[in-house]
Amino acid sequence: MLKLDIQMFAVPFRKVSKTRKRTRQAHKAICAPTLTKCSTCGEMIKPHRVCKKCGSYKKKTVIEVKEAA
């Protein structure tokens, strides 16, 4: 017969209380994305990305943006 010194088995589904499960999952909350203001045009953009409105990054024009009519 095999004897194990440590027990590393799965915990049955109903043995973990709702409070304990929800406490463990508390960090999974949805949060609003971080936005910064474009230094050229003032549009709200995600940090470290090229502005879709003016095409600039760190006050330098990186891409040419076509004007929509």
Side-chain angles (χ1 to χ4, degrees):
M1 183 167 192
L2 181 65
K3 184 178 179 183
L4 297 175
D5 292 334
I6 56 171
Q7 292 182 348
M8 295 183 68
F9 301 109
V11 178
F13 175 71
R14 302 224 186 264
K15 293 286 182 180
V16 179
S17 68
K18 292 176 188 174
T19 306
R20 192 162 182 86
K21 177 175 67 174
R22 290 173 185 162
T23 304
R24 195 172 56 242
Q25 296 175 353
H27 70 281
K28 294 183 179 179
I30 297 172
C31 58
T34 305
L35 297 175
T36 57
K37 205 177 263 191
C38 175
S39 57
T40 308
C41 66
E43 184 77 14
M44 295 303 285
I45 58 171
K46 289 184 178 181
H48 308 290
R49 285 169 177 76
V50 176
C51 180
K52 293 179 181 178
K53 187 175 180 185
C54 65
S56 64
Y57 180 71
K58 293 187 178 181
K59 297 184 181 180
K60 296 177 184 174
T61 303
V62 180
I63 57 172
E64 294 294 326
V65 180
K66 295 179 182 177
E67 294 293 327

